[in-house]
Amino acid sequence: MQGREERFTGPKLDGVHLHAVHHGSAGRATLVLLHGAGANAHWWDHLAAGLARHFQVVALDFRGHGDSDFPEQLRAGAFSEDLDALLEHLSAPEAILIGHSLGAHVAVEHAARSATTPALILLDLNRGASRSRELATRLALALSQSSPSREAAIRRFRFLPKAAHADEEMRRRIAAHSVRREADGRFGFKFDPRWFGVPPRSRPDLGDIRCPTLLRRGRESALLTHDGAREIVSAIPDARLVEIPDAGHHVHID
């Protein structure tokens, strides 16, 4: 499904321009999709057609990702500012939020301080993983890689952590939206690794989330353990957990 793409800015963004992909018709309830670290808005494309039958769907590229700006200045809480700016741009403070990994953490922070979020869906946010596992994932994402051609970069693209159940067609389709030409003429990935691990604006109190919340964990995930998932849903007043078989951290891809 081909979405409508736009770039926008706003008073909260200090000149940073963000990219978003729109699916579905205006006038329906708004559903915002928030990707994980190293990903981008097009990682949701395969789900957009189904969701757009019921919602106005908007997938955001956080700064330093996808086709949004790659600002030099790193700032704590910048991804939360990106979400705030998008909701203001859409005039949709009551948007439903679906977030994966990093995007789930941003969604949690927003819902904990906003009384207008009607529902929250969290996909495999990190909780309970060993320190060595987290560091290994962070290091793999932070490694700067480039290829001599666009096609070579697409061939090189891999999901991190591995999405063991994703087929080759999906990998190539997502890869095609995840590579870009660099200043030196080589091709790298649409992700500035300096933004990986930038701290949130604040550490949210899960007890402040008042909207219905669904946490979906890939049963094979090493970044969200079963105990970590139970800890999260027990802290949110109206939350439930669904574990997805034959899926890992990238539960929406697997």
Side-chain angles (χ1 to χ4, degrees), residues 99-240:
H100 171 242
S101 193
L102 164 68
H105 286 284
V106 175
V108 162
E109 192 275 338
H110 181 85
R113 59 181 167 81
S114 171
T116 61
T117 304
L120 193 61
I121 298 127
L122 308 174
L123 307 182
D124 219 82
L125 71 169
N126 300 10
R127 179 68 70 93
S130 67
R131 183 65 175 161
S132 60
R133 171 70 68 173
E134 289 184 348
L135 288 174
T137 302
R138 185 173 303 223
L139 177 61
L141 280 171
L143 290 174
S144 179
Q145 300 176 333
S146 66
S147 301
S149 68
R150 176 178 173 82
E151 180 57 33
I154 290 173
R155 287 197 304 269
R156 185 175 188 171
F157 175 89
R158 295 292 185 272
F159 297 110
L160 291 171
K162 184 178 180 180
H165 303 282
D167 61 30
E168 174 59 13
E169 179 184 355
M170 179 173 289
R171 189 203 66 81
R172 282 193 62 87
R173 188 165 60 245
I174 290 175
H177 286 291
S178 301
V179 303
R180 67 173 186 164
R181 192 182 188 95
E182 305 286 2
D184 62 1
R186 291 176 65 85
F187 288 80
F189 299 128
K190 293 181 178 180
F191 167 55
D192 181 349
R194 298 179 312 123
W195 282 99
F196 189 82
V198 171
R201 179 161 46 195
S202 62
R203 186 172 182 84
D205 183 343
L206 298 182
D208 290 338
I209 298 175
R210 297 300 172 181
C211 62
T213 300
L214 173 65
L215 173 59
R216 305 193 77 159
R217 173 183 179 263
R219 194 170 289 170
E220 299 171 7
S221 175
L223 293 181
L224 174 62
T225 65
H226 175 79
D227 289 345
R230 293 303 312 170
E231 180 183 329
I232 291 168
V233 296
S234 66
I236 299 173
D238 184 7
R240 66 187 180 98

Side-chain angles (χ1 to χ4, degrees), residues 32 34 60 79-87 97 106-107 110:
V32 170
L34 303 170
L60 175 67
F79 298 140
S80 294
E81 294 171 12
D82 293 347
L83 174 57
D84 289 349
L86 175 66
L87 297 179
L97 304 179
V106 175
H110 181 85

